[in-house]
Amino acid sequence: RPFIEAKITFNGAYQDEYAIASQKEISIRFPWSNNLTTRMDDVEIKARLSGNAVDKTSVEPSRGFYSSSDNTITWDKNTDVSFGSIESGESGVVEFSISSLPLFTGTQTLIEKPQIVVEVSIKGKESVGGIMKELTNIERKTFKVVSDFQIAAKALHYSGLFNNVGLMPPKVDQETTYTIVWSVTNSSNKISQAVAKAILPPYVRFTGVVSPLSEDVSFDEVTREVTWDIGTVERGVGLINEGAEVAFQIAFLPSISQVGKRPSLIGETTLSGQDSFANIVVQSKKKSLDTRLSNDSGFKT
């Protein structure tokens, strides 16, 4: 074991790499301990920040000093008097919070493989036989920022790709068709094994009409789940590149028990996929859609 340890931990875990959400504040802790049988003087812990996703304006150290000129945070006897002398067996914690930069700035630029790298060093002076000896320990961790992978869902009747039929507003025991549109966007990292799913209520029928026909959309009659097997979604889709989108048609047969209500047309939509850079499954959700067609320009409340 090193003379004096400083382990980088995040969310209670100690590992080589971590996956973090874009622009979400995280707290990074350095538990330290003096493992020597002797006292250490003039102890200094220094965290050096690097990587293309560091947001300098978000760095907030606890009892330390952040120097934006060289991207370092320092904890020493000037910021904490107890660091002037640490006895054998003593331990403690220093920490700071940080957020990543936005992955997409709106200027057609994306941060590719966004990450924050933290390198922490801890050093102190040990007196042995009247001779002062300086000892150092260094540790490095990488925080990979997860791609912003999102899905939008909307229900249409008057607009969209399909010629929908039926009365509007819907009438009891008479079928009205709608178009459901799913659109996917992805920011910085390639996503694999992407899938979107939602469940249809028992009074809604999947008609089998899909566009584009090349998209893999299926419906399970038992689970009543609509599945869009998207596959691979490249970085920048829907932001700086053409978006990924599919439309499918459903038919709603209202019951007399639904008069005066806004029945759900499709349940919550869930999107998931594997972030190839952060090496983690990412997921986003959109709430269920009902008969109030807020995204349809022809709909009147």
Side-chain angles (χ1 to χ4, degrees):
R1 299 172 70 188
F3 78 95
I4 188 164
E5 288 185 308
K7 287 189 171 183
I8 301 173
T9 62
F10 173 60
N11 284 347
Y14 177 68
Q15 55 199 55
D16 291 335
E17 292 182 353
Y18 303 91
I20 62 173
S22 169
Q23 293 184 273
K24 183 178 181 180
E25 182 181 279
I26 62 170
S27 180
I28 301 174
R29 294 165 55 86
F30 307 143
W32 57 264
S33 60
N34 182 359
N35 299 321
L36 293 174
T37 58
T38 56
R39 187 186 74 236
M40 295 298 299
D41 295 326
D42 297 332
V43 173
E44 177 190 85
I45 297 178
K46 189 178 289 287
R48 186 174 301 277
L49 310 177
S50 60
N52 58 357
V54 173
D55 182 358
K56 292 185 177 184
T57 65
S58 72
V59 180
E60 289 287 345
S62 175
R63 301 196 315 276
F65 173 71
Y66 172 57
S67 171
S68 58
S69 62
D70 59 1
N71 254 5
T72 61
I73 305 170
T74 302
W75 295 267
D76 58 18
K77 63 184 179 184
N78 296 310
T79 62
D80 188 335
V81 293
S82 64
F83 278 30
S85 180
I86 295 178
E87 298 293 338
S88 173
E90 278 193 60
S91 61
V93 176
V94 298
E95 61 186 326
F96 72 95
S97 62
I98 188 173
S99 303
S100 79
L101 290 166
L103 300 183
F104 180 62
T105 63
T107 58
Q108 297 300 99
T109 56
L110 281 170
I111 299 177
E112 185 175 1
K113 296 182 178 179
Q115 62 181 355
I116 297 171
V117 179
V118 179
E119 184 178 82
V120 60
S121 63
I122 182 166
K123 65 181 181 179
K125 295 175 181 177
E126 179 192 30
S127 179
V128 180
I131 301 174
M132 295 299 292
K133 181 170 60 174
E134 185 170 285
L135 301 174
T136 304
N137 180 44
I138 298 175
E139 186 171 359
R140 173 189 168 103
K141 301 294 180 184
T142 301
F143 295 80
K144 294 184 174 181
V145 184
V146 176
S147 196
D148 190 12
F149 186 45
Q150 298 291 331
I151 190 165
K154 58 185 177 181
L156 308 170
H157 177 81
Y158 300 99
S159 57
L161 297 172
F162 308 136
N163 181 26
N164 289 304
V165 297
L167 296 174
M168 287 294 285
K171 300 298 181 182
V172 171
D173 298 333
Q174 296 185 49
E175 202 170 63
T176 296
T177 61
Y178 296 83
T179 301
I180 303 297
V181 181
W182 283 343
S183 305
V184 168
T185 58
N186 181 38
S187 61
S188 291
N189 309 323
K190 183 170 75 173
I191 303 293
S192 62
Q193 303 172 46
V195 177
K197 295 182 178 183
I199 293 176
L200 297 184
Y203 48 83
V204 172
R205 178 172 63 87
F206 182 75
T207 69
V209 179
V210 176
S211 180
L213 293 174
S214 57
E215 293 298 328
D216 186 359
V217 177
S218 60
F219 178 66
D220 188 316
E221 295 282 355
V222 177
T223 63
R224 303 199 54 77
E225 189 170 63
V226 180
T227 300
W228 178 22
D229 191 349
I230 309 168
T232 299
V233 182
E234 298 294 339
R235 60 184 299 270
V237 163
L239 297 175
I240 60 174
N241 300 320
E242 185 178 348
E245 186 172 276
V246 72
F248 56 91
Q249 190 183 60
I250 59 171
F252 167 45
L253 184 63
S255 168
I256 195 169
S257 61
Q258 295 171 314
V259 173
K261 301 178 181 178
R262 292 197 312 216
S264 172
L265 295 174
I266 188 169
E268 181 181 68
T269 299
T270 300
L271 175 70
S272 64
Q274 179 76 23
D275 187 310
S276 59
F277 175 64
N279 194 29
I280 192 174
V281 174
V282 292
Q283 189 178 84
S284 67
K285 296 181 179 181
K286 279 292 178 281
K287 64 181 182 180
S288 61
L289 301 173
D290 59 35
T291 52
R292 188 178 186 278
L293 310 182
S294 56
N295 291 294
D296 196 327
S297 58
F299 178 75
K300 297 179 180 178
T301 56

